[in-house]
């Protein structure tokens, strides 16, 4: 993934009626099957791509107002994962790579929080004879697949589509982003917990300037950095493991661009309200 893609990603809440071409969807689906892993190659998620806008609007109806006049996109990514703490980091890491791939394909995206039980309920209804699976799902979905999801969780969905070019939609989208402070990115220094005690190298400054452009599924920007003699530790506020996985995806892309191998040594430490995930060497 090229570093130049990161600044292009924006959270889009207003989408055009233009359908996403089959070839483009096929590229996303293929990429989702080969997403990079944060560390555990055994972890694989179930990615469901839906492409029926009416069905997507029905699915997300209760989220429209809470996300500020959200308009359903023509495509939706529903990622399911095993209900285990460490999996959440991997989940955010992998799904954000798909989001950046969509950005590379000139598509707009938006992370949204969803209720697992509600999503499963609508998916259950979709397995009835009322629907033609092929009219809704890009990836295979049937009754057996639904059963396989019983013990998996879904707490985020990703809207995917072409941003609306209508002037009013652009105005509304920008106003919403300002209201939820999506534009108010924290400066690099504010996410470093010991910046007064350790010097920040110029290369790490550049890396973090790109990493903080990561989206936060809960609009919190909860990630934190602790400088060390060999590099830095990465962590985040307790309960924001998916967001930290998203942030680490951006970290990896930026480090590789600036010629720094990405290798993370996992450790567990809680200090105050920060849950530390691992240590990354910079030398």
């Amino acid at each position: 993934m090229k570093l130049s893609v990161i600044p292009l990603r924006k959270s889009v809440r207003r989408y055009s009626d233009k359908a996403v071409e089959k070839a483009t969807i096929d590229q996303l689906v293929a990429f989702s099957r080969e997403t990079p892993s944060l560390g555990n190659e055994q972890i694989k998620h179930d990615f469901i791509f839906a492409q029926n806008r009416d069905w997507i609007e029905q699915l997300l109806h209760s989220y429209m107002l809470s996300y500020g006049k959200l308009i359903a996109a023509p495509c939706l990514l529903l990622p399911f994962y095993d209900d285990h703490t460490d999996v959440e980091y991997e989940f955010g890491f992998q799904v954000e790579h798909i989001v950046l791939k969509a950005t590379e394909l000139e598509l707009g995206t938006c992370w949204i929080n969803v209720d697992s039980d509600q999503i499963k309920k609508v998916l259950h209804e979709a397995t009835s004879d009322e629907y033609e699976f092929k009219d809704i799902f890009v990836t295979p979905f049937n009754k057996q697949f639904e059963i396989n999801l019983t013990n998996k969780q879904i707490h985020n969905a990703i809207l995917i589509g072409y941003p609306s070019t209508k002037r009013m939609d652009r105005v509304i989208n920008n106003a919403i982003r300002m209201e939820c402070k999506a534009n108010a990115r924290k400066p690099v220094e504010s996410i470093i917990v010991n910046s007064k005690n350790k010097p920040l190298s110029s290369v790490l400054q550049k890396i973090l300037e790109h990493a903080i452009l990561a989206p936060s599924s809960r609009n919190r920007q909860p990630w934190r950095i602790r400088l060390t003699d060999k590099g830095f530790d990465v962590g985040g506020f307790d309960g924001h493991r998916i967001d930290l996985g998203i942030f680490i995806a951006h970290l990896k892309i930026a480090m590789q661009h600036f010629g720094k191998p990405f290798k993370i040594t996992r450790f567990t430490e809680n200090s105050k309200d920060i849950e530390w995930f691992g240590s990354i060497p910079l030398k």
Side-chain angles (χ1 to χ4, degrees):
M1 189 70 64
K2 294 181 179 179
L3 186 73
S4 58
V5 174
I6 287 179
L8 298 178
R9 188 217 59 81
K10 298 289 188 297
S11 295
V12 175
R13 293 172 175 82
R14 312 288 287 190
Y15 294 87
S16 74
D17 295 329
K18 180 182 177 181
V20 180
E21 299 83 353
K22 183 180 183 303
T24 301
I25 296 177
D26 287 345
Q27 286 188 64
L28 275 180
V29 173
F31 183 83
S32 71
R33 294 172 179 151
E34 300 176 355
T35 49
S37 173
L38 177 53
N40 188 342
E41 299 295 341
Q42 302 301 316
I43 295 177
K44 291 295 180 183
H45 304 298
D46 291 295
F47 295 121
I48 301 173
F49 284 86
Q51 62 176 350
N52 184 300
R53 191 165 189 162
D54 291 338
W55 184 84
I56 293 171
E57 186 170 0
Q58 173 191 336
L59 180 71
L60 301 179
H61 177 73
S62 62
Y63 304 102
M64 296 296 183
L65 293 178
S66 62
Y67 277 83
K69 297 183 179 179
L70 179 71
I71 291 181
C75 292
L76 183 70
L77 170 61
L78 299 172
F80 284 80
Y81 62 95
D82 292 324
D83 191 11
H84 185 274
T85 299
D86 284 347
V87 174
E88 294 184 72
Y89 298 109
E90 184 75 42
F91 170 84
F93 183 84
Q94 288 192 2
V95 175
E96 180 59 12
H97 274 83
I98 299 175
V99 166
L100 291 173
K101 181 63 177 179
T103 304
E104 186 178 73
L105 296 172
E106 301 182 350
L107 295 167
T109 58
C110 184
W111 281 82
I112 60 175
N113 285 112
V114 295
D115 180 82
S116 193
D117 291 337
Q118 182 178 346
I119 296 295
K120 287 183 178 182
K121 179 178 180 294
V122 178
L123 287 175
H124 175 71
E125 293 171 353
T127 59
S128 69
D129 294 334
E130 179 182 351
Y131 293 98
E132 287 287 340
F133 295 146
K134 62 181 177 61
D135 293 334
I136 299 177
F137 303 106
V138 178
T139 44
F141 186 80
N142 51 36
K143 192 66 178 178
Q144 184 56 51
F145 193 88
E146 179 202 352
I147 293 172
N148 294 340
L149 298 177
T150 302
N151 296 321
K152 292 181 179 281
Q153 297 295 317
I154 176 169
H155 293 300
N156 298 95
I158 314 298
L159 290 167
I160 302 173
Y162 292 105
S164 174
T165 57
K166 295 179 181 178
R167 181 178 180 278
M168 184 54 65
D169 282 341
R170 294 201 308 271
V171 170
I172 292 173
N173 192 61
N174 289 335
I176 294 168
R177 292 180 69 244
M178 289 296 293
E179 184 178 350
C180 71
K181 299 182 179 180
N183 285 329
R185 290 287 167 181
K186 293 182 175 71
V188 167
E189 292 74 18
S190 70
I191 70 168
I192 302 175
V193 299
N194 59 343
S195 59
K196 294 181 180 179
N197 303 323
K198 296 246 180 213
L200 181 64
S201 68
S202 59
V203 67
L204 183 55
Q205 174 80 29
K206 292 177 181 178
I207 289 170
L208 294 180
E209 284 173 355
H210 285 84
I212 60 174
L213 297 178
S216 167
S217 65
R218 295 162 64 181
N219 288 326
R220 293 287 188 267
Q221 300 179 54
W223 32 78
R224 290 296 180 267
I225 294 295
R226 180 171 60 190
L227 303 177
T228 66
D229 292 337
K230 295 182 178 180
F232 60 94
D233 298 332
V234 59
F237 296 144
D238 186 27
H240 290 262
R241 299 181 186 95
I242 291 175
D243 283 342
L244 185 56
I246 297 172
F247 179 75
I248 294 174
H250 284 236
L251 262 181
K252 179 182 179 181
I253 294 168
M255 288 185 67
Q256 291 178 335
H257 175 84
F258 291 107
K260 299 296 181 180
F262 176 84
K263 181 180 180 181
I264 189 162
T265 301
R266 183 78 167 91
F267 70 85
T268 301
E269 177 192 335
N270 293 328
S271 58
K272 295 183 179 179
D273 58 346
I274 300 177
E275 184 176 1
W276 294 101
F277 174 77
S279 180
I280 300 176
L282 201 59
K283 296 181 180 179

